[in-house]
Amino acid sequence: MAGVEQSQRQQIGGKAEHIDDAEMALQGINMLLNNGFKESDELFRRYRTQSPLMSFGASFVSFLNAMMTFEEEKMQMACDDLKTTEKLCEGDNAGVLETIRNKIKNSMDSQRSGVVVVDRLQRQIIVADCQVYLSVLSFIKQELSAYIKGGWILRKAWKMYNKCHSDISQLQEACPRPSSVQQEPDNANHNVSEENGVTAEALDRLKGSVSFGYGLFHLCISMVPPHLLKIINLLGFPGDRLQGLSSLTYASESKDMKAPLATLALLWYHTVVLPFFALDGSDTQAGLLEAKAILQRKSVVYPNSSLFMFFKGRVQRLECHINSALASFHDALELASDQRELQHVCLYEIGWCSMIELNFEDAYRSFKRLKDESRWSQCYYAYLTGVCQGASGDLNGASRVFKDVQKLFKRKNNQIEQFAVKRAERLRKTSPTRDLCILGVIEVLYLWKALQNCSSSKLQIMIQVLQGLDESSCKGLKHLFLGAVHKCLGNTKDSTQELLLAARDEYARQINSYVQPYAIYELGCIFLAKSETVGKGRSLLLQAKEDYTGYEFENRLHVRIHSALASLKEVVPQ
């Protein structure tokens, strides 16, 4: 807090130096990531009227709070804050390079011209950032008009990112770098372009600032399912995953306030997105080395951060060190004692790790607390609570919870809630048994790609339960999950046999619509693993993609198929 106190003393002096808003904004974000959520919010709001950067920091904290709670009041507050920041930053729309030329003509002071250029670029980047966050808040409403509005806002934001990224890159090329031998040591830290008065240090920070949004755009668009890419391309968005990762890495190593956020984005990509969408085929270990390296580098800066402890737990879970992961998530839960929303994220992972260990009682306790406290999707949490309660043997309690699922169904267009309601209703009507509830646990473990994190002993228990199921309505699911479990155990022959049975089960197509396309996808992945059957594997992936439509979690499978085909092209050019 020494920097803040110094800034306060400077303000009292009247004509003293202005606050170093770039340094203070970075300090505020670091404070946020070190569990100082309230302190960070207070710092940004104290100075929000004195600097666009500090105003953006206050709006970002407001946005983050809204995204963790999904509470209508906080979402509206975030919208208002972002619009206030956007209004503060908007001014003359002249281009950056045009501004430079005009200032050179009209001012003999190139240093002053550089300050104006940096300020103009910073404001444009902040406006683009605000537009992205406003579009996200718009998308959450899940209405057609909101999607159209959000898409249009994103288009404007991308154009600003692209233009700023190009302008800053040109300015960097024009700005000389310090040589290894400086004839004038006193000027070594004041390297300035003679043409526009912009320092190399300022340009590096701005490049880091714009690279965060620029990289996220590339990364997120690269994950869009193929059938949506035409719409995305009409809006003018690109989707280069490598460019996205490169830009986020640049941003994470910069001195901009968004450097820590870029680091979190990279950890999110490597530990959540890659394994969930199978973006590098079916290898859930992809990206873990990079994530571990990032955590190691940042451990000194964020020694007690609940967020970084959370990502440490994610890495341990993906490495199948479930007990270590549980310890990390419990530590993160304790560190986030003052932040209810972060606690819920940790509780969610504790629930999942407990399901992976088939510890249904602990999983039940975590999901029940989420059901009672969270405002995100009580319907989904109620379903997880019910299946874990039933799997632990409390069938009467599970039946009562399944009745609540329909009452808590609020987001009619949300596929996860639709899935939860459908499954809860089926279990309620048939009177749940312990094995059927365990089947429900295995189903979510499969759909959320968590079977790979289960130990061999737990997978063997699942095989025993699945083989004992006789209900005709579960036949397709039984074969699909047996195939997936055998695949995790490396039993390719048994896996192929079970998946073929699932793929041929027409009755399953009527009862559980996703069984056939998912079974064919799993078969395709098995054949892709052998060079002599790559062609057959590719054909099966295309079959799963083109022959089925309107089933549960269709977009999820399309992303995985798209990724598998893309990785195939890198190995075997078409």
Side-chain angles (χ1 to χ4, degrees), residues 19 29 66 147 167 169 225 263 267-268 281 284 287 312 318 348 527:
I19 63 171
I29 293 296
Y147 284 127
D167 287 344
S169 297
T263 299
L267 287 171
W268 163 76
T284 58
K312 179 182 178 181
L318 292 169
Y348 184 73
F527 288 120

Side-chain angles (χ1 to χ4, degrees), residues 182-245:
Q182 291 289 336
Q183 294 182 353
E184 300 182 43
D186 291 341
N187 296 326
N189 293 326
H190 302 282
N191 202 41
V192 178
S193 170
E194 295 178 359
E195 294 184 6
N196 53 56
V198 184
T199 66
E201 183 181 11
L203 288 176
D204 286 344
R205 187 185 64 77
L206 285 174
K207 185 68 169 290
S209 181
V210 74
S211 291
F212 177 68
Y214 185 79
L216 271 183
F217 251 100
H218 273 288
L219 201 58
C220 292
I221 299 304
S222 72
M223 296 183 287
V224 170
H227 66 285
L228 294 178
L229 279 177
K230 290 181 180 178
I231 300 174
I232 296 297
N233 289 334
L234 283 175
L235 291 171
F237 299 151
D240 186 330
R241 193 188 314 167
L242 293 179
Q243 177 63 62
L245 290 171

Side-chain angles (χ1 to χ4, degrees), residues 63 86 127-140 145-163 213-214 216-218 220-221 224 231-232 234-238:
F63 169 77
E86 192 175 6
V127 168
D129 288 336
C130 289
Q131 289 175 342
V132 169
Y133 300 148
L134 283 168
S135 68
V136 171
L137 292 170
S138 183
F139 287 144
I140 290 172
S145 60
Y147 284 127
I148 295 172
K149 179 182 178 182
W152 184 252
I153 296 173
L154 277 180
R155 184 173 185 271
K156 290 196 299 180
W158 166 247
K159 286 187 174 182
M160 295 187 74
Y161 280 136
N162 203 30
K163 182 68 166 59
Y214 185 79
L216 271 183
F217 251 100
H218 273 288
C220 292
I221 299 304
V224 170
I231 300 174
I232 296 297
L234 283 175
L235 291 171
F237 299 151

